[in-house]
Amino acid sequence: MIGELLAAVLQLVLVGLGAPLLIGIVRTLKARLVGRRGPSPWQPYADLRKLLGKERVVSTTTSWIFAVTPTVLAATMLVSALIVPLVISRPALGFAGNVIVLMYLFLVGAFFLALAGLDAGSAFGGMGSSREVAVAALAEPTIALAVFALAMRAGTINLGGVVERVSADPWLALAPGHLLAFAAFFIVMLAETGRLPVDNPATHLELTMIHEAMVLEYSGPDLAIVEWAAAMKLFLFMSLLANLFFPWGVPTDAGVATLAVGAIVLAAKLTVLAGLLAVMETAMAKLRLFRVPELLAGSFALALLSVTSMFLLR
Amino acid sequence: MTAEPITTATNFLAFLGLVSTLMIVWRQNWAGRRRLFVVQSLLLAALATTIAVYGHRAELFLVAAIVVLLKAWLIPRILGRMAAGTPPRPVAPGRSAGLSLLAVGSLIVAAYVIMLPVTTVSDLPTVGGIPLTFAMALIGLFVTVTGRDVLGHILGFLMFENGIFGLALLATYGLPGIVEAGVFLDLLVIVLIMEGVVLRIRREHDSIAVDRLRELRG
Amino acid sequence: MSLVVVLATPLVGAILLVVARGIAARVLHLLATVLTAAAAGAVAVQVSHAGSIVALGGLFRADGLSAWMIGLIALVSLLAAIEAPYTVPSAAVGRFRPLFHLFVFTMLLAVATDDVGLMWVAIEGTTLASVFLVNLERSRASLEAAYKYLLICSVGVAIAFIGTVLVYFADIHQFGHEAHALRWTTLVRLAPGLPPRVVELAFVFLLVGYGTKAGLAPMHTWLPDAHSEAPAPVSALMSGVLLSVGVYALVRFKTVVDLSGGPEFTQRLLLALGLTSIATAAVFLWAPTNYKRMLAYSSIEHIGVVCLGLGFGGLAGVGGAVLHVANHALAKSALFVLSGRIRAAYGSAEISAVTGLLGTMPVTGGLFLLAMLAIMGLPPFGLFVSEVLIFSAGFQSGHGIIAATGLLLLVGAFAGLLRNAHRMLYGTPAPAIVDVPGLRSAVPTGLALLLLTLTGVAWPPGLAAALDHIARLLGQ
Amino acid sequence: MTIVTYVLATVVGLAAGFAGVGGMLGVGMSWRLPALLPLGGVSLVLDPLAGVFLAMIGFAAVPASLYALGDPRQARRGRGAYLLFVGAMAVVPLAGNALTFLLAWELMSLASYMLVVHDREAREAIRAAWVYAVMTHAGVVCLIAGMLLLGTWAGSFEVDAWRVAAPGLAAGSRNLVWTLLALGFAVKAGVVPLHVWLPLAHPAAPSHVSALMSGVMIKLGVYGLIRISLDWLGDGPLWWGAVILLAGAVSAMVGVLSAIVDRDLKRVLAFSSIENVGIILIGLGAGVLYHAAGLPALAVIGLTAALYHAVNHTAFKTLLFLGAGAVVHATGTRDMEALGGLIKRMPWTTACFLSGAVAAAALPPLNGFVSEWLTFQALLQNLLIEQPAVNLVFALGIAALALTGGLAVACFVRAFGISFLAVPRSDASAQAHEVPRAPRLAMTMLAVTCLALGLGVTVIVPALARVGTDLVGVVGTLALGDALVLDVSGNFASLSVPVIAVALALAGLGVFGGLVVTGRGRARPYETWSCGRMLQTPRMEYTATAFANPFKRVFDFFYRPVQQIDIAAHPASRLFVQRIDYANPTRSLFDDWLYRPLLAGVNRGVRVVRVLQSGSANLYLTYILLALLVMLVFA
């Protein structure tokens, strides 16, 4: 029982504290790739601490929804942290949910963030919400089909079950269906977490930003929490990607040593993925908003391919 | 076998009736038609008396008398009163009687075909005349349908009635008394009502042409 | 005895009303209809006990079907008589009353007599009695309608006379000069022996002849003109029961023909004519200009449904058809009475002239809406149940396709009727219209709708048994 | 008098509700009155499936009637029709024979027609009522034909006789009956392409009635589909389930796509009803497919998902319509472009509407999420059926359900955000005031029900599963997990909504506590940032049309939007623009290609045939002569 508790705490700490570091690593890698020295990977912690110190400025037109949204965002991310198998295949809340619950928890966050965007009553908030919700809607079918591909292969959609099933039979991981599902899921991650081809996290240019437009009105501690939640979302998505599709090294029992090994293996995988993300982002420019559906349609086609390949090669 | 006198007499009278009907179709002007109608009614009365004599049906004498009284005298008088006001209609040029005679011919053939079930099954001596009288009825209907004015309609209807009366005589040697009386009463009332209606139409439209009566559509 | 009273009262009433004037006429008018209704009730009671009653040595005979029709005619004429003072212009009421009762007499005679020939005379009599009723208002249009009505119906009924003569010929040819050869009872008794070919030929003439009186398409052309130009009580009587008398005559002869040559012959004809009638009505219901013509076409539609019921046959089919005749009579007479009031208030029979009826005339409008729902065949009124009965017979007798087509056409008619009802009932109410004062005037139509709800939702105990008895009577 | 009627309606609702729950728990009851009507008279039978729908009708009628009590003056006209409406709806699931069913069904349609034509002057309400009445009547005619055919072949019009005789029927005749009845029920359930009456009729009715129509009446169409696919006609071929599933998928997508772009709040909710019926039918289609493929355990899950979503939809859609009714009552308009900022003036209604919106967008922990999750589980396990074609149908179902889920979130963010948040766009919404206590109580009751239905998963799913097993036939004990966690098919998937809800609450409190403790709670009010412009007017806000713009671009093949710009220039010169009117209306696929040509054809045909009655007596006589000759020749 102690192991379970320890694993839960470890997962919370990893997600809570590790998320800004992941963002930092990606930023520094991107800078290095374009030949700049770039800020140190610990820079996001400094930003958060600065924001926490600042004064909260709240617009008169907003309502309680604007005030509650940061808390809801953070809460959903923390609960998701206990569902995704980071350092142990069966995390504390593993029994309570599966991939579909995870996706809907992220949707709760998107729902309230969009409402907060609208609440301020400015044109940018509305535009950001409208586009964010459009992208989220178009990403849904891909997630569902990718999950369907996994469910066919693993016979269950409980995350722990999938991890154990795939790690037990390595050939599964190399099946074409599996790789196609990974590619589809990767594109969805880019769309959901607002990374480059869909939305440029680094800019404040009104016409191009989707995620940033919604949080334009936030300031001080609220902005800190929102940024923190966004970082956690990226962390969770990447670790989900890593552990579902390449689950080796995810321990199944909760001993102190095994947990440490699990954490290190997770850190390694995330760094590799962060590198891949950085390379992708520097290589690609931002897509015009009305080309994003074609990208998502492509990912949907990949997911459909993975499902049909699962059929044929069964 | 020598045909019984009743067969030859009824066939001959029925034939004459049909000829009178054809004459009515051929004659276009009203006065001539009215006179031919009287002839037709008299022929039917004669038919009734022959059946009364040979068929030993005493009540048919009374029926024949009523036919003469009603259809040969009273109704033509009313028709005359009705037609009094209208200006004599010139015979429309180019409206040859040939076309209608052709149609009447086909109606006679149709009458024979329709009455086949009756003529094949019946063994009555007067069976020969049935298709002829039925043809008279159909031609009467044809005159009603092609009537250009109200009088044409009424005359056609009366000829149609005559044809049916003849058919009834030949097929059943006369209907039961109360029904026969009812039919004559109805016929008289129809003509009287028609007279009232025609007067009102003439007062309303100051003409009894049918194309004035086309306002109610849809 | 009560049969003679039922027939004598309207005749005597008509004769007296020719001379009566003023308050005496008004009292006599109402008294005559009430007495007829009472006598009809007596006849119905006697028939329900004794099966059938006879008068004048068998010339008059009332069995189940006749009693049903006599009751219906009495009821509808009561409704029309009560309504008459409101809508018939006072100048014409002197001519209206005697003809009205004569009209009722001829209809009662047609259904009460056993002699087929006398029935023909009576039906011809109904036409003659109602010609001047149609032309009561002496307008140019009603004159034209009356003329066409007289001409077409006389030609039609004359064709029916050929049929009657042929039936008589078949009877004599087979059994010689029977005493009462033209009596329906003898015809039914001798029917199996009659030569089928002749009887079937006779039925074609009878169908065309009496079909004209019943308003079956394509012989229906006089009906919209006559019913829309006649004053409301007369068109209520004509649409409600005169058409049913035409159907009554057809049913009588159908029984004889079925016994002699088997039911297929009459079924084919009745189903064909039934479908054509519903189709023609549905087309003309789509965009009528005048709401009285709309009601006339809806009568054609419902008579077509009755014809389908007779064509399908079986206890449900014929029983349903008989019930449908009663339901339709009640609903249509109520509708015509109400349309009379609407025409009196709005001054025009055009649908476009009447808007916001529910707003300006709440009582009449409300009743009009309910009656329209009834005529469209919606529960809780009886027409829904009788239509379901008829179509259940349709499917049971294997005529699935025809039943389905009928149902489809009914939807078309429903759409048309509802469209016009909407144009009249809703919209901005016309300001200067006042409703007929007092609720008393709404009592007769309200009563009719109440009866309809009875047959629609809660059948009185005897009804099912009566319908089965009548169906069996007609050889099902 | 109005008060009495609505109190009576509440009592009837409660009675129906508890009778329904009783029925669900296995209390069977049957009550016959053969003498009252022909074809078997009146007969009412209560079984578990009827119990579920009866409970739905009952427990939805209570808040709706309560809402009406809040504003008796407006609810006075049509109170009789409302009572008839609730009564007839309660009888439909109980009907035990054909005539009772048809009578109750038609009475329900008639009552709802009377309520739709509530506002007599509004032209489009009248047209809506006409479209609704004609389509419903066409549906009823299909039902009449189907039931009479079934009654003829089964030998009796009693439902029990149908169950007995159904297996013996020939496949062809059973399919014909199924198609006819399915068409009839599809019209009432608002399945695309028979849905065009729904967005017209529901907004025209008063709010508490459209709440019942959307929440409960269209479910009776689903009830009918369940009866014919699983109960009355025995187990049918595979294509029944496939047709239901695909129809559900199409309806879901068309419903939500139409809901996203509509400006009228109540039309948005009406379209969302079409979407939710689509989701229910996806679940039902899956259940029927499994039943036909001989997998009763999965069939029960599919059916349970459908029933559960039906119950949930009744709860949150009634809540949303009552909320919309409150908004219309307060602001007098349904156009979302004129609403906005209502959260500050109508806090209570806003909170209830938000909970309805969250439930409708299927977000945890409320009830919409749970039934959609269960539908997913039913769809995801289709591998046990070997045919690839069926698996493809399931894959389409999954994609459609997922896309619909995402678009539903967008639709309700738009509906709630534009109507309730930010600055009021018209002075009507600026002076809005909170609705009286009765409607608020009604809405709160429903909001609490949504939460309870969401949290009580482990109680409700077994109850509905028992209804499923009663229909599909006895199957082994369903491993549905313990009191806290719901397991589906062993360890395929498990869900525990209470645990997630508690975790969310704890995490939220933790974060909020952290903020307050570190003393950073204070906030300085200031204007919304708008790039330095001084003036902040409501016209700068995002409008409903603008919000829907991305969807119009992405799905333009479906919407075929029309660009309407008219520029009012200054009289002096074209260059000085005074006013620009921009509209971007979408066109309905079904109106343009299916219904408008149909009407035009009918009108043309009628104009041609009217010539027959041309007024000439000669022509009329010719008709008689022709009729005579034709009959003589052919007879």
Side-chain angles (χ1 to χ4, degrees):
Chain A
M1 191 35 211
I2 307 299
E4 296 289 331
L5 202 61
L6 190 65
V9 166
L10 181 61
Q11 290 212 178
L12 279 178
V13 162
L14 258 179
V15 169
L17 301 183
L21 177 62
L22 184 66
I23 295 281
I25 291 169
V26 171
R27 275 198 198 134
T28 19
L29 278 177
K30 273 174 69 175
R32 289 289 157 67
L33 283 172
V34 295
R36 282 192 288 106
R37 233 162 65 73
S40 85
W42 307 100
Q43 180 55 30
Y45 290 100
D47 297 345
L48 286 181
R49 193 159 33 64
K50 175 195 74 180
L51 282 176
L52 280 175
K54 281 212 179 300
E55 183 194 31
R56 277 177 83 241
V57 175
V58 172
S59 158
T60 48
T61 59
T62 58
S63 61
W64 55 271
I65 289 181
F66 183 82
V68 149
T69 303
T71 322
V72 167
L73 274 172
T76 44
M77 293 312 145
L78 290 175
V79 168
S80 313
L82 291 176
I83 292 178
V84 174
L86 299 172
V87 289
I88 179 167
S89 66
R90 297 245 177 225
L93 290 181
F95 65 92
N98 46 45
V99 178
I100 296 177
V101 171
L102 215 57
M103 285 310 122
Y104 274 97
L105 276 176
F106 289 150
L107 268 181
V108 167
F111 181 86
F112 277 93
L113 194 57
L115 284 185
L118 277 170
D119 203 7
S122 79
F124 312 113
M127 187 190 303
S129 311
S130 155
R131 292 178 174 179
E132 166 75 11
V133 155
V135 164
L138 295 175
E140 274 294 310
T142 313
I143 301 171
L145 276 185
V147 159
F148 180 34
L150 287 178
M152 274 206 299
R153 177 63 58 208
T156 168
I157 58 169
N158 275 339
L159 291 169
V162 173
V163 165
E164 280 153 11
R165 197 60 182 55
V166 174
S167 59
D169 166 4
W171 282 111
L172 264 173
L174 300 177
H178 216 71
L179 294 176
L180 285 170
F182 170 76
F185 222 93
F186 188 81
I187 295 174
V188 160
M189 181 201 74
L190 296 180
E192 285 279 332
T193 52
R195 296 313 297 183
L196 201 61
V198 173
D199 167 19
N200 185 346
T203 168
H204 268 268
L205 180 61
E206 288 82 3
L207 294 181
T208 59
M209 56 182 178
I210 299 178
H211 180 71
E212 294 307 319
M214 288 187 291
V215 294
L216 207 56
E217 274 303 310
Y218 278 109
S219 58
D222 292 340
L223 184 55
I225 293 178
V226 167
E227 293 296 341
W228 179 47
M232 280 201 284
K233 185 167 182 178
L234 179 64
F235 187 95
L236 282 171
F237 245 101
M238 289 176 81
S239 47
L240 192 64
L241 221 66
N243 283 352
L244 272 186
F245 291 93
F246 311 100
W248 303 291
V250 177
T252 50
D253 57 346
V256 173
T258 47
L259 286 183
V261 163
I264 293 155
V265 163
L266 180 67
K269 281 189 218 167
L270 286 182
T271 343
V272 165
L273 273 178
L276 179 66
L277 185 62
V279 163
M280 285 271 289
E281 288 207 354
T282 42
M284 281 192 297
K286 179 185 181 311
L287 279 177
R288 194 166 158 268
L289 176 70
F290 300 117
R291 301 295 302 282
V292 166
E294 282 147 29
L295 174 75
L296 290 171
S299 80
F300 178 72
L302 285 177
L304 206 59
L305 268 176
S306 83
V307 165
T308 36
S309 69
M310 291 285 187
F311 270 128
L312 304 179
L313 306 177
R314 189 167 12 196
Chain B
M1 70 73 171
T2 65
E4 291 161 26
I6 184 171
T7 319
T8 48
T10 50
N11 289 356
F12 178 65
L13 282 172
F15 174 71
L16 277 182
L18 189 60
V19 164
S20 62
T21 322
L22 292 179
M23 293 282 286
I24 291 178
V25 170
W26 187 64
R27 286 296 299 272
Q28 291 294 334
N29 78 11
W30 168 251
R33 282 191 161 189
R34 197 163 62 86
R35 271 195 302 281
L36 280 167
F37 173 71
V38 166
V39 164
Q40 191 182 39
S41 310
L42 289 176
L43 282 172
L44 282 179
L47 191 69
T49 37
T50 39
I51 293 177
V53 163
Y54 291 103
H56 315 301
R57 300 296 297 275
E59 66 278 6
L60 282 184
F61 286 111
L62 177 64
V63 163
I66 295 171
V67 164
V68 167
L69 179 69
L70 188 68
K71 292 194 181 178
W73 175 66
L74 182 61
I75 290 181
R77 232 160 67 76
I78 299 172
L79 285 180
R81 261 208 323 265
M82 261 197 259
T86 55
R89 228 164 56 80
V91 174
R95 183 155 158 59
S96 75
L99 193 68
S100 40
L101 277 181
L102 191 69
V104 160
S106 62
L107 279 181
I108 293 171
V109 169
Y112 265 92
V113 168
I114 294 170
M115 275 303 148
L116 269 180
V118 172
T119 44
T120 46
V121 95
S122 157
D123 52 7
L124 284 170
T126 61
V127 80
I130 290 180
L132 293 175
T133 45
F134 183 65
M136 275 169 64
L138 283 187
I139 295 164
L141 207 55
F142 173 74
V143 166
T144 326
V145 167
T146 53
R148 297 314 313 148
D149 57 13
V150 174
L151 293 176
H153 286 171
I154 298 166
L155 186 71
F157 176 69
L158 290 173
M159 287 164 62
F160 180 55
E161 202 64 36
N162 273 356
I164 299 170
F165 177 74
L167 180 72
L169 272 180
L170 292 175
T172 60
Y173 288 9
L175 293 160
I178 188 161
V179 174
E180 206 66 66
V183 168
F184 283 128
L185 179 67
D186 277 342
L187 195 63
L188 182 62
V189 170
I190 286 177
V191 172
L192 289 173
I193 290 179
M194 215 41 123
E195 185 188 8
V197 168
V198 164
L199 285 180
R200 222 167 262 142
I201 290 176
R202 182 171 293 122
R203 197 181 321 117
E204 195 74 38
H205 300 287
D206 60 47
S207 131
I208 51 169
V210 168
D211 39 32
R212 286 297 176 82
L213 298 168
R214 293 185 60 144
E215 281 149 20
L216 290 173
R217 295 174 192 282
Chain C
M1 174 38 204
S2 53
L3 200 54
V4 171
V5 167
V6 161
L7 291 173
T9 337
L11 187 62
V12 164
I15 296 162
L16 291 180
L17 276 166
V18 168
V19 292
R21 280 293 169 278
I23 196 73
R26 208 170 301 118
V27 163
L28 199 59
H29 171 64
L30 278 183
L31 190 64
T33 32
V34 167
L35 265 177
T36 324
V43 164
V45 165
Q46 282 177 356
V47 165
S48 62
H49 292 313
S52 74
I53 54 173
V54 176
L56 271 180
L59 186 61
F60 298 132
R61 177 173 176 280
D63 59 4
L65 183 62
S66 316
W68 180 270
M69 289 303 290
I70 290 173
L72 204 58
I73 294 169
L75 203 62
V76 173
S77 60
L78 189 68
L79 178 68
I82 295 172
E83 185 53 29
Y86 292 103
T87 42
V88 172
S90 51
V93 85
R95 279 184 289 108
F96 168 78
R97 289 203 185 96
L99 283 174
F100 177 83
H101 286 282
L102 190 63
F103 187 29
V104 170
F105 164 70
T106 47
M107 281 199 285
L108 286 172
L109 179 62
V111 290
T113 173
D114 188 29
D115 186 314
V116 167
L118 190 60
M119 178 172 76
W120 180 86
V121 171
I123 290 182
E124 179 62 24
T126 57
T127 317
L128 305 182
S130 52
V131 165
F132 285 111
L133 282 173
V134 168
N135 186 21
L136 205 64
E137 284 153 7
R138 298 196 178 220
S139 68
R140 175 192 287 256
S142 68
L143 177 64
E144 178 186 336
Y147 171 70
K148 282 187 200 160
Y149 172 54
L150 177 60
L151 183 67
I152 294 173
C153 280
S154 305
V155 167
V157 175
I159 292 175
F161 186 64
I162 299 175
T164 320
V165 162
L166 286 177
V167 165
Y168 186 56
F169 160 76
D171 187 0
I172 290 170
H173 165 73
Q174 202 63 25
F175 302 97
H177 274 275
E178 271 276 330
H180 308 294
L182 267 181
R183 289 276 166 82
W184 186 72
T185 35
T186 30
L187 281 176
V188 167
R189 185 163 41 83
L190 304 175
L194 293 177
R197 291 294 304 143
V198 175
V199 172
E200 279 166 7
L201 176 68
F203 185 73
V204 170
F205 284 104
L206 288 162
L207 187 58
V208 170
Y210 289 131
T212 318
K213 277 308 281 182
L216 283 174
M219 297 85 75
H220 68 287
T221 43
W222 59 275
L223 199 140
D225 303 343
H227 288 203
S228 59
E229 295 313 323
V234 174
S235 33
L237 214 51
M238 284 171 75
S239 224
V241 276
L242 180 58
L243 303 182
S244 323
V245 168
V247 173
Y248 168 84
L250 279 179
V251 165
R252 286 295 185 198
F253 279 106
K254 174 188 188 309
T255 325
V256 172
V257 175
D258 284 355
L259 287 174
S260 90
E264 295 75 22
F265 180 78
T266 56
Q267 256 178 7
R268 269 205 313 270
L269 287 177
L270 282 171
L271 290 181
L273 279 187
L275 270 188
T276 357
S277 309
I278 303 179
T280 327
V283 162
F284 280 93
L285 277 175
W286 180 251
T289 49
N290 171 328
Y291 53 80
K292 291 185 87 170
R293 292 184 82 85
M294 173 181 83
L295 295 178
Y297 278 116
S298 118
S299 299
I300 296 172
E301 173 213 345
H302 282 286
I303 293 296
V305 169
V306 168
C307 243
L308 280 189
L310 295 174
F312 291 141
L315 284 182
V318 174
V322 167
L323 178 65
H324 200 70
V325 160
N327 288 340
H328 172 250
L330 288 172
K332 188 49 61 61
S333 46
L335 267 172
F336 266 113
V337 160
L338 291 167
S339 70
R341 253 192 240 146
I342 297 168
R343 190 165 185 287
Y346 277 82
S348 132
E350 293 307 312
I351 290 182
S352 46
V354 176
T355 54
L357 189 60
L358 277 178
T360 48
M361 303 163 75
V363 173
T364 312
L367 286 172
F368 187 74
L369 171 65
L370 290 178
M372 280 301 275
L373 293 181
I375 214 68
M376 282 189 263
L378 292 175
F381 299 108
L383 284 117
F384 176 74
V385 169
S386 49
E387 272 170 12
V388 166
L389 259 177
I390 287 173
F391 284 110
S392 73
F395 287 109
Q396 258 153 5
S397 68
H399 296 94
I401 313 289
I402 294 177
T405 337
L407 280 170
L408 213 62
L409 290 169
L410 283 182
V411 171
F414 172 87
L417 273 170
L418 191 67
R419 206 160 82 105
N420 301 306
H422 273 194
R423 278 160 62 190
M424 291 170 68
L425 288 169
Y426 305 116
T428 50
I433 304 292
V434 68
D435 197 347
V436 171
L439 269 178
R440 196 178 53 74
S441 63
V443 163
T445 35
L447 212 62
L449 289 174
L450 196 66
L451 268 176
L452 269 173
T453 332
L454 214 59
T455 55
V457 177
W459 274 26
L463 185 57
L467 290 177
D468 287 352
H469 166 68
I470 294 174
R472 246 175 239 105
L473 200 68
L474 299 174
Q476 292 313 313
Chain D
M1 190 36 202
T2 313
I3 311 283
V4 167
T5 326
Y6 283 103
V7 165
L8 194 60
T10 320
V11 166
V12 166
L14 279 175
F18 288 117
V21 170
M24 256 166 71
L25 303 178
V27 171
M29 181 275 284
S30 88
W31 180 63
R32 284 180 201 288
L33 255 174
L36 203 59
L37 278 174
L39 297 179
V42 175
S43 96
L44 301 176
V45 174
L46 177 63
D47 64 356
L49 183 66
V52 175
F53 285 89
L54 202 58
M56 253 195 278
I57 296 166
F59 291 133
V62 171
S65 315
L66 209 60
Y67 177 86
L69 284 175
D71 176 3
R73 184 185 40 72
Q74 202 248 0
R76 197 179 57 75
R77 178 191 296 173
R79 54 180 187 276
Y82 179 79
L83 199 58
L84 174 66
F85 181 51
V86 173
M89 268 202 299
V91 168
V92 166
L94 295 173
N97 71 5
L99 192 63
T100 327
F101 186 91
L102 290 172
L103 206 61
W105 187 272
E106 187 73 40
L107 275 177
M108 168 180 74
S109 312
L110 176 67
S112 51
Y113 157 76
M114 302 296 286
L115 290 164
V116 165
V117 80
H118 175 76
D119 171 5
R120 294 200 183 116
E121 269 77 20
R123 261 186 56 73
E124 91 285 345
I126 298 165
R127 189 183 173 284
W130 181 71
V131 168
Y132 170 60
V134 170
M135 287 192 77
T136 315
H137 196 69
V140 163
V141 157
C142 290
L143 290 185
I144 291 176
M147 283 194 176
L148 291 181
L149 262 178
L150 184 54
T152 315
W153 283 328
S156 127
F157 289 100
E158 289 302 322
V159 165
D160 322 334
W162 292 348
R163 286 195 192 101
V164 166
L169 286 177
S173 51
R174 210 148 47 116
N175 289 341
L176 173 66
V177 167
W178 186 84
T179 327
L180 279 173
L181 292 179
L183 265 177
F185 291 128
V187 168
K188 181 57 79 176
V191 172
V192 168
L194 306 169
H195 68 293
V196 280
W197 61 272
L198 205 137
L200 294 173
H202 286 197
S207 308
H208 61 283
V209 173
S210 43
L212 275 187
M213 282 170 78
S214 240
V216 178
M217 189 177 77
I218 51 179
K219 298 298 171 351
L220 291 177
V222 171
Y223 164 76
L225 285 171
I226 295 176
R227 278 290 187 203
I228 56 174
S229 311
L230 292 172
D231 182 13
W232 288 344
L233 295 176
D235 33 16
L238 269 174
W239 64 267
W240 285 4
V243 161
I244 295 180
L245 201 146
L246 289 178
V250 168
S251 302
M253 281 199 286
V254 167
V256 76
L257 283 175
S258 319
I260 287 180
V261 290
D262 207 298
R263 283 175 53 153
D264 178 327
L265 188 57
K266 286 177 94 170
R267 275 170 66 89
V268 165
L269 296 179
F271 277 120
S272 136
S273 297
I274 297 176
E275 172 226 336
N276 281 289
V277 162
I279 293 170
I280 296 170
L281 289 187
I282 290 176
L284 177 62
V288 172
L289 270 172
Y290 286 130
H291 181 56
L295 298 162
L298 290 179
V300 165
I301 291 176
L303 186 61
T304 316
L307 289 176
Y308 201 0
H309 197 70
V311 170
N312 291 340
H313 178 253
T314 304
F316 62 72
K317 188 46 60 63
T318 315
L319 170 58
L320 286 171
F321 259 105
L322 293 188
V327 165
V328 167
H329 172 77
T331 62
T333 169
R334 300 198 308 249
D335 183 3
M336 283 157 66
E337 307 291 24
L339 298 176
L342 294 178
I343 192 165
K344 297 185 180 56
R345 282 160 194 74
M346 305 167 70
W348 197 279
T349 313
T350 311
C352 293
F353 196 92
L354 177 61
S355 55
V358 167
L363 300 176
L366 288 181
N367 56 0
F369 160 69
V370 178
S371 45
E372 220 162 284
W373 182 83
L374 204 57
T375 316
F376 261 117
Q377 303 323 316
L379 291 173
L380 286 175
Q381 296 179 52
N382 66 58
L383 285 167
L384 304 176
I385 303 179
E386 292 313 319
Q387 289 101 334
V390 172
N391 298 114
L392 180 65
V393 165
F394 273 95
L396 286 178
I398 293 170
L401 189 59
L403 181 62
T404 317
L407 291 173
V409 170
C411 166
F412 280 96
V413 161
R414 171 172 175 269
F416 180 76
I418 302 289
S419 313
F420 289 88
L421 299 181
V423 180
R425 292 184 182 74
S426 71
D427 47 23
S429 52
Q431 283 115 23
H433 47 78
E434 187 54 282
V435 281
R437 223 172 314 99
R440 265 186 279 156
L441 176 63
M443 287 193 276
T444 324
M445 268 166 60
L446 283 167
V448 166
T449 328
C450 283
L451 190 62
L453 283 173
L455 297 178
V457 175
T458 48
V459 168
I460 292 167
V461 167
L464 292 178
R466 200 174 311 111
V467 171
T469 44
D470 169 71
L471 264 180
V472 161
V474 177
V475 83
T477 57
L478 279 166
L480 285 178
D482 52 25
L484 201 60
V485 175
L486 172 75
D487 289 339
V488 172
S489 324
N491 61 8
F492 179 80
S494 64
L495 171 73
S496 167
V497 178
V499 166
I500 294 177
V502 164
L504 275 175
L506 283 179
L509 281 176
V511 167
F512 197 73
L515 262 179
V516 167
V517 157
T518 54
R520 288 170 176 64
R522 291 180 320 286
R524 180 161 67 85
Y526 192 72
E527 264 182 23
T528 306
W529 163 257
S530 48
C531 291
R533 261 192 328 287
M534 292 314 291
L535 191 58
Q536 168 68 356
T537 66
R539 283 184 48 71
M540 292 175 190
E541 278 175 315
Y542 233 54
T543 62
T545 320
F547 197 94
N549 191 300
F551 300 95
K552 279 187 195 158
R553 283 182 182 275
V554 170
F555 297 98
D556 58 3
F557 60 90
F558 171 75
Y559 293 117
R560 295 179 290 123
V562 174
Q563 199 89 350
Q564 286 167 353
I565 304 173
D566 65 17
I567 299 166
H570 192 276
S573 107
R574 194 174 51 77
L575 299 177
F576 295 95
V577 167
Q578 284 175 332
R579 197 168 46 78
I580 298 181
D581 278 329
Y582 170 77
N584 189 359
T586 61
R587 289 173 292 172
S588 151
L589 220 58
F590 304 97
D591 282 355
D592 296 354
W593 286 346
L594 185 60
Y595 291 100
R596 205 154 285 133
L598 194 72
L599 275 177
V602 165
N603 282 329
R604 244 196 332 281
V606 162
R607 242 195 313 286
V608 162
V609 174
R610 285 172 70 81
V611 163
L612 283 180
Q613 186 82 7
S614 69
S616 114
N618 295 38
L619 188 62
Y620 296 164
L621 289 170
T622 329
Y623 293 154
I624 296 181
L625 197 58
L626 278 180
L628 188 62
L629 294 179
V630 162
M631 271 199 261
L632 285 172
V633 167
F634 284 107

